[in-house]
Amino acid sequence: MPQNKKVGLALGSGGVRGLAHIGVLKILIKHNIPIDFMAGCSIGSWVGAHYARYQDIQKLEEFTVGKKKEKLLSFLEPSFTGGLVKGDKFEKLIDGWLEGASFEDLKIPLAIVATDLLKGEPVIFTSGQLAPAIRASVAIPGVFKAVNFEDKILIDGGACDPVPDNVVKKMGADIVIAVNLDNFQESDNQAKAGYNLSKILIRTTEVMRHYLAAYSLDDADIIIQPKLAQYSSWREYFINNEMGKKVIALGEEETKKVIPELKKLLK
């Protein structure tokens, strides 16, 4: 598609819901939408890094939906302080899948977002090895041990910037496509009889994530928000072979809706 405008894609955080990013990419590729810059947070950092490295959507789907045994084994590294999983095995696994790549090896410029727990602000990685940056970006508090980096303690980027559209804008994008996985304003599973304590805590977190994500969408020209409230369990991912396909399909479905507007912006 002939055009002079640069397109940036911001891939948001969201755990297993990040499989929807693959569906988004599939439709953008199908319609020849260029991707000149990428920024990723948490699961979006992994999807962004793999695609920016290989630009191979089939390979990305294989490694993201599949490879369950390898992922599970990488999680079997208990930490007795700061989180359940230490993270060294996970970083080594990611580094192997990316063939030891650095940011400088990528085919598409990429930024990865983590959160500095001490200062409470984003940390943006754009150089150096990819695997350590991804490890920091996905370090979900309580699950993965926080990452010591220079004078910082890093956790999941979703804690401060769950949809890094502002980051990809600063990279030089004229048109910013943002993928928000935290569209939880209404619950798909509201209990008419009320909530127990566990459900209250989960729902409270969803509401907080919803509004934090909404506030971080100011720089987006196109917003893609698949309805994924029912897909939040990594346990289900590991035992349900159909889940990955369903989440990807929801990403495709929502992306199809914005293609006409996106093509107008590119003209």
Side-chain angles (χ1 to χ4, degrees), residues 102-104 110-112 124-130 133 149:
S102 67
F103 283 85
E104 291 73 21
L110 171 72
I112 287 178
I124 314 298
F125 290 93
T126 57
S127 63
Q129 295 300 114
L130 284 164
F149 173 74

Side-chain angles (χ1 to χ4, degrees), residues 16 34 45 60 66 79 89 113 116 129 145 147 150-151 153 155-156 164-165 177 180 186 194 229 232 242 254:
V16 72
S45 72
L60 173 60
S79 171
K89 286 185 178 181
V113 182
D116 181 359
Q129 295 300 114
K145 185 176 181 178
V147 176
E150 296 178 349
D151 59 344
I153 299 177
I155 61 168
D156 194 314
D165 59 327
I177 306 167
N180 175 25
E186 295 183 10
S232 59
E242 296 300 314
E254 289 302 309

Side-chain angles (χ1 to χ4, degrees), residues 196-247:
N196 59 28
L197 179 58
S198 175
K199 289 182 179 179
I200 288 173
L201 294 174
I202 292 170
R203 180 59 182 155
T204 300
T205 302
E206 288 180 347
V207 173
M208 292 171 64
R209 288 182 64 92
H210 170 84
Y211 283 101
L212 178 59
Y215 290 135
S216 70
L217 288 169
D218 288 345
D219 289 302
D221 300 292
I222 299 287
I223 301 174
I224 301 169
Q225 301 187 103
K227 293 184 178 180
L228 300 165
Q230 70 273 35
Y231 298 108
S232 59
S233 169
W234 278 106
R235 180 178 179 276
E236 184 181 355
Y237 159 79
F238 282 111
I239 64 176
N240 184 350
N241 290 329
E242 296 300 314
M243 178 181 173
K245 295 178 181 178
K246 291 178 180 179
V247 176

